[in-house]
Amino acid sequence: MKIRPLHDRIVVRRKEEEQATAGGIILPGAAAEKPNQGEVVAVGTGRILDNGSVQALAVKEGDIVVFGKYSGQNTIDIDGEELLILNESDIYGVIEA
């Protein structure tokens, strides 16, 4: 199944959670923090401005993005995978290699 977000919304797949701390302590799933990075899976057409024109989004599919710790409260489950739906304003930046 595919999803096509509307307007300035972006669908993101979170990166895998870290299972150990820097000191080597193994964390159970409930204690591990959710990562604040992910891969863009789908993007909307853009933000509609007051004059009716559409401003294209600054991210594209495949980008690795950084978002707020508490962003992405809107989650969906597609084919057994949990995905986040974010507004473009929830994304802080794109990680470039």
Side-chain angles (χ1 to χ4, degrees):
M1 180 177 0
K2 292 192 75 162
I3 185 168
R4 183 177 50 92
L6 300 176
H7 307 298
D8 67 337
R9 291 184 179 83
I10 300 164
V11 179
V12 176
R13 176 185 302 121
R14 278 192 201 262
K15 290 180 84 173
E16 293 297 317
E17 298 178 21
E18 294 288 327
Q19 297 299 323
T21 64
I25 299 172
I26 304 297
L27 298 173
E33 287 189 23
K34 294 208 181 267
N36 64 345
Q37 295 181 10
E39 178 184 359
V40 175
V41 177
V43 297
T45 55
R47 185 165 54 107
I48 299 175
L49 302 175
D50 291 337
N51 65 5
S53 64
V54 177
Q55 179 182 12
L57 300 179
V59 297
K60 61 185 181 306
E61 290 182 23
D63 282 348
I64 303 298
V65 295
V66 178
F67 47 88
K69 186 175 187 176
Y70 298 106
S71 297
Q73 300 299 320
N74 302 319
T75 60
I76 57 170
D77 187 38
I78 294 185
D79 297 334
E81 181 177 29
E82 185 178 287
L83 301 172
L84 303 173
I85 298 179
L86 304 172
N87 285 332
E88 184 181 31
S89 60
D90 293 334
I91 295 179
Y92 296 150
V94 177
I95 297 176
E96 298 179 352

